[in-house]
Amino acid sequence: MKTIELPSRQKIPVLGMGTWRMGENPQHRQREIEALRHGLDLGFSLIDTAEMYGEGGAEEMVGEAIARHRSKVFLVSKVYPHNASKKGAIAACERSLKRLNTDHIDLYLLHWRSAVPLSETLEAFQTLQKAGKIRSYGVSNFDTSDMKSALKLKGGESICTNQVLYNLTRRGIELGLLPWCQQHNIPVMAYSPIEQGRLLGNAMLEAIAHEKGATAAQIAIAWILHQKNVIVI
């Protein structure tokens, strides 16, 4: 799998598996675990999750899925904004580590910005990084002005990514955020690359896929991967 080097010098795969809406229904748990393990067998070593997903259920499910593969997995998780104070983020990370059954998270993100001062969140992230609990940190759902503000704060220079909505029908970040991140060498992580499945019925996309001997999902994902310094979840 091709990788991108984060500002922290960590190498992250350009394509990974997301877990939004997983860990919510106990009846689906085994199927979800098997799906992640199948992805790992196929070479998808990047897994993205969050304490919000299934209120911790997704992290628990991921922890079980990667139990025998942790050394091969690049693990991303996110802290709830209301937990993102200095003490709150450290405690939330400890809970995530326990659910994930691991001693570190490779990349830890603030899920979105809130009333909690960003300076506190960055201070917590630096503390966690020094303690070896997280390897790198970043943000999610930040716009350009949020990113500019973040980089002015202590610890802001170590923000390694911004995870945002980006696909063929959601291209707003191209107007400012994407080029700004590219200029500052901050990789963008694109989530919902096939718009939760809604893109797959697009007639034009289906026609291109047929011409190329591929699926609509493969074309949609390949288009994002073609963009500079972008990772796809």
Side-chain angles (χ1 to χ4, degrees), residues 192-231:
S192 296
I194 56 173
E195 192 69 12
Q196 302 302 307
R198 289 186 290 275
L199 262 174
L200 304 186
N202 182 280
M204 184 177 294
L205 193 58
E206 290 281 2
I208 295 171
H210 179 74
E211 179 185 339
K212 300 294 184 181
T215 66
Q218 287 172 331
I219 297 298
I221 291 170
W223 178 84
I224 307 177
L225 287 173
H226 185 68
Q227 313 308 312
K228 179 184 176 184
N229 228 17
V230 175
I231 301 151

Coordinates of all heavy atoms in Angstrom, one line a residue, residues 192-231:
S192 N -16.1 9.7 3.7 CA -17.2 9.5 2.9 C -16.9 9.6 1.4 O -17.5 10.4 0.7 CB -18.3 10.5 3.3 OG -18.8 10.2 4.6
P193 N -15.9 8.9 0.9 CA -15.5 9.0 -0.5 C -16.6 8.6 -1.5 O -16.5 9.0 -2.7 CB -14.3 8.1 -0.6 CG -14.5 7.1 0.5 CD -15.1 7.8 1.6
I194 N -17.5 7.7 -1.1 CA -18.6 7.4 -2.0 C -19.9 7.9 -1.5 O -21.0 7.4 -1.8 CB -18.6 5.8 -2.3 CG1 -18.8 5.1 -1.0 CG2 -17.4 5.4 -3.0 CD1 -19.0 3.6 -1.1
E195 N -19.9 8.9 -0.6 CA -21.1 9.6 -0.1 C -22.1 8.6 0.5 O -23.2 8.5 0.2 CB -21.8 10.4 -1.2 CG -22.9 11.3 -0.8 CD -22.4 12.5 0.0 OE1 -21.2 12.8 0.0 OE2 -23.2 13.2 0.5
Q196 N -21.5 7.7 1.4 CA -22.3 6.7 2.1 C -23.1 5.8 1.1 O -24.2 5.3 1.4 CB -23.3 7.4 3.1 CG -22.6 8.2 4.1 CD -21.6 7.4 5.0 OE1 -22.0 6.4 5.5 NE2 -20.4 7.9 5.0
G197 N -22.5 5.6 -0.1 CA -23.1 4.7 -1.1 C -23.9 5.4 -2.1 O -24.3 4.8 -3.2
R198 N -24.3 6.7 -1.8 CA -25.2 7.4 -2.7 C -24.5 7.7 -4.1 O -25.3 7.8 -5.1 CB -25.7 8.7 -2.1 CG -26.6 8.4 -0.9 CD -27.2 9.7 -0.4 NE -26.2 10.5 0.3 CZ -25.9 10.4 1.6 NH1 -26.5 9.4 2.3 NH2 -25.0 11.1 2.2
L199 N -23.2 7.7 -4.1 CA -22.5 8.0 -5.4 C -22.6 6.8 -6.4 O -22.4 7.0 -7.6 CB -21.1 8.4 -5.2 CG -20.7 9.8 -5.1 CD1 -19.2 10.0 -4.7 CD2 -20.9 10.5 -6.5
L200 N -22.8 5.6 -5.9 CA -22.7 4.4 -6.7 C -23.8 4.3 -7.7 O -23.6 3.6 -8.7 CB -22.7 3.2 -5.8 CG -21.6 3.2 -4.7 CD1 -21.7 1.9 -4.0 CD2 -20.3 3.4 -5.3
G201 N -24.9 5.1 -7.6 CA -25.9 5.0 -8.6 C -25.8 6.1 -9.6 O -26.7 6.3 -10.5
N202 N -24.7 6.9 -9.6 CA -24.6 8.0 -10.5 C -24.3 7.5 -11.9 O -23.4 6.7 -12.1 CB -23.4 8.9 -10.0 CG -23.2 10.1 -10.9 OD1 -22.6 10.0 -12.0 ND2 -23.7 11.2 -10.5
A203 N -25.1 7.9 -12.9 CA -25.1 7.4 -14.2 C -23.7 7.7 -14.9 O -23.2 6.8 -15.6 CB -26.2 7.9 -15.1
M204 N -23.2 8.9 -14.7 CA -22.0 9.2 -15.4 C -20.8 8.4 -14.8 O -19.9 7.9 -15.5 CB -21.7 10.7 -15.2 CG -20.4 11.2 -15.9 SD -20.2 13.0 -15.7 CE -21.6 13.6 -16.7
L205 N -20.8 8.3 -13.5 CA -19.8 7.5 -12.8 C -19.8 6.0 -13.2 O -18.8 5.4 -13.5 CB -20.0 7.6 -11.3 CG -18.8 7.1 -10.4 CD1 -17.5 7.9 -10.7 CD2 -19.1 7.3 -8.9
E206 N -21.1 5.5 -13.4 CA -21.2 4.1 -13.8 C -20.7 4.0 -15.2 O -20.1 2.9 -15.5 CB -22.7 3.7 -13.8 CG -23.3 3.6 -12.4 CD -22.9 2.3 -11.7 OE1 -22.2 1.5 -12.3 OE2 -23.3 2.0 -10.6
A207 N -20.9 4.9 -16.1 CA -20.5 4.9 -17.5 C -18.9 4.9 -17.5 O -18.3 4.1 -18.3 CB -21.0 6.0 -18.3
I208 N -18.3 5.7 -16.7 CA -16.8 5.8 -16.7 C -16.3 4.5 -16.2 O -15.3 3.9 -16.7 CB -16.4 7.0 -15.8 CG1 -16.8 8.3 -16.5 CG2 -14.8 6.9 -15.6 CD1 -16.5 9.5 -15.6
A209 N -16.9 3.9 -15.1 CA -16.5 2.7 -14.6 C -16.6 1.5 -15.6 O -15.6 0.7 -15.7 CB -17.3 2.4 -13.3
H210 N -17.7 1.5 -16.3 CA -17.8 0.5 -17.3 C -16.8 0.6 -18.4 O -16.2 -0.4 -18.8 CB -19.2 0.6 -18.0 CG -19.5 -0.4 -19.0 ND1 -19.8 -1.7 -18.8 CD2 -19.5 -0.3 -20.4 CE1 -19.9 -2.4 -19.9 NE2 -19.8 -1.6 -20.9
E211 N -16.4 1.8 -18.8 CA -15.4 2.0 -19.8 C -14.0 1.6 -19.3 O -13.2 1.0 -20.1 CB -15.4 3.5 -20.2 CG -14.3 3.9 -21.2 CD -14.2 5.3 -21.5 OE1 -15.2 6.1 -21.2 OE2 -13.2 5.8 -22.0
K212 N -13.8 1.7 -18.1 CA -12.5 1.4 -17.5 C -12.4 0.0 -17.0 O -11.3 -0.4 -16.5 CB -12.1 2.4 -16.4 CG -12.1 3.9 -16.8 CD -10.9 4.1 -17.8 CE -10.8 5.6 -18.1 NZ -9.7 5.8 -19.1
G213 N -13.5 -0.7 -17.0 CA -13.5 -2.1 -16.5 C -13.3 -2.1 -15.0 O -12.7 -3.0 -14.4
A214 N -14.0 -1.1 -14.3 CA -13.9 -1.0 -12.8 C -15.3 -0.8 -12.3 O -16.3 -0.8 -13.0 CB -13.0 0.2 -12.5
T215 N -15.3 -0.7 -10.9 CA -16.6 -0.3 -10.3 C -16.7 1.2 -10.1 O -15.7 1.9 -10.1 CB -16.7 -1.1 -8.9 OG1 -15.8 -0.5 -8.0 CG2 -16.5 -2.6 -9.1
A216 N -17.9 1.6 -9.8 CA -18.1 3.1 -9.6 C -17.4 3.5 -8.3 O -16.8 4.6 -8.2 CB -19.6 3.3 -9.4
A217 N -17.4 2.6 -7.3 CA -16.6 2.9 -6.1 C -15.1 3.1 -6.3 O -14.5 4.0 -5.8 CB -16.9 1.8 -5.0
Q218 N -14.6 2.2 -7.1 CA -13.2 2.2 -7.4 C -12.8 3.5 -8.2 O -11.8 4.2 -7.9 CB -12.7 1.0 -8.3 CG -12.7 -0.3 -7.5 CD -12.5 -1.5 -8.5 OE1 -12.9 -1.5 -9.6 NE2 -11.8 -2.5 -7.9
I219 N -13.6 4.0 -9.1 CA -13.4 5.2 -9.8 C -13.5 6.4 -8.8 O -12.6 7.3 -8.9 CB -14.4 5.4 -11.0 CG1 -14.2 4.3 -12.0 CG2 -14.2 6.8 -11.6 CD1 -12.9 4.3 -12.7
A220 N -14.5 6.4 -8.0 CA -14.7 7.6 -7.1 C -13.5 7.7 -6.1 O -13.0 8.8 -5.8 CB -16.0 7.4 -6.3
I221 N -13.0 6.5 -5.6 CA -11.9 6.5 -4.7 C -10.6 6.9 -5.4 O -9.8 7.6 -4.9 CB -11.8 5.2 -4.0 CG1 -13.0 5.0 -3.0 CG2 -10.5 5.0 -3.2 CD1 -13.1 3.6 -2.4
A222 N -10.4 6.3 -6.6 CA -9.2 6.6 -7.3 C -9.1 8.1 -7.7 O -8.0 8.7 -7.6 CB -9.2 5.8 -8.6
W223 N -10.2 8.7 -7.9 CA -10.2 10.2 -8.2 C -9.7 11.0 -7.0 O -8.9 11.9 -7.2 CB -11.6 10.7 -8.6 CG -11.7 12.1 -8.8 CD1 -11.4 12.8 -10.0 CD2 -12.0 13.2 -7.9 NE1 -11.6 14.1 -9.8 CE2 -11.9 14.4 -8.6 CE3 -12.4 13.2 -6.5 CZ2 -12.2 15.6 -7.9 CZ3 -12.7 14.4 -5.9 CH2 -12.6 15.6 -6.6
I224 N -10.1 10.6 -5.8 CA -9.6 11.3 -4.6 C -8.1 11.0 -4.4 O -7.3 11.9 -4.1 CB -10.4 11.0 -3.4 CG1 -11.9 11.2 -3.6 CG2 -10.0 11.8 -2.2 CD1 -12.8 10.7 -2.4
L225 N -7.8 9.8 -4.6 CA -6.4 9.4 -4.4 C -5.4 10.1 -5.3 O -4.2 10.2 -5.1 CB -6.2 7.9 -4.5 CG -6.7 7.0 -3.4 CD1 -6.7 5.5 -3.8 CD2 -6.0 7.3 -2.1
H226 N -6.0 10.5 -6.4 CA -5.2 11.3 -7.5 C -4.8 12.7 -7.0 O -3.9 13.3 -7.5 CB -5.9 11.3 -8.8 CG -5.2 11.9 -9.9 ND1 -4.0 11.3 -10.5 CD2 -5.3 13.1 -10.6 CE1 -3.6 12.0 -11.4 NE2 -4.3 13.1 -11.5
Q227 N -5.6 13.2 -6.0 CA -5.3 14.5 -5.5 C -4.0 14.5 -4.7 O -3.7 13.5 -4.0 CB -6.5 15.1 -4.7 CG -7.8 14.9 -5.3 CD -7.9 15.4 -6.7 OE1 -7.5 16.5 -7.0 NE2 -8.4 14.6 -7.7
K228 N -3.3 15.6 -4.7 CA -2.1 15.7 -3.9 C -2.2 15.7 -2.4 O -3.0 16.4 -1.9 CB -1.3 17.0 -4.4 CG 0.0 17.3 -3.7 CD 0.6 18.6 -4.1 CE 1.9 18.9 -3.3 NZ 2.4 20.3 -3.6
N229 N -1.5 14.8 -1.8 CA -1.4 14.8 -0.3 C -2.8 14.5 0.4 O -3.1 15.1 1.4 CB -0.8 16.1 0.2 CG 0.3 15.8 1.3 OD1 0.8 14.7 1.4 ND2 0.6 16.8 2.0
V230 N -3.5 13.6 -0.2 CA -4.8 13.2 0.3 C -4.9 11.8 0.7 O -4.4 10.9 -0.1 CB -6.0 13.6 -0.7 CG1 -7.3 13.1 -0.2 CG2 -6.0 15.1 -0.9
I231 N -5.5 11.5 1.8 CA -5.6 10.1 2.3 C -7.1 9.8 2.3 O -8.0 10.7 2.6 CB -5.1 10.0 3.8 CG1 -3.6 10.3 3.8 CG2 -5.4 8.6 4.3 CD1 -3.2 10.9 5.2

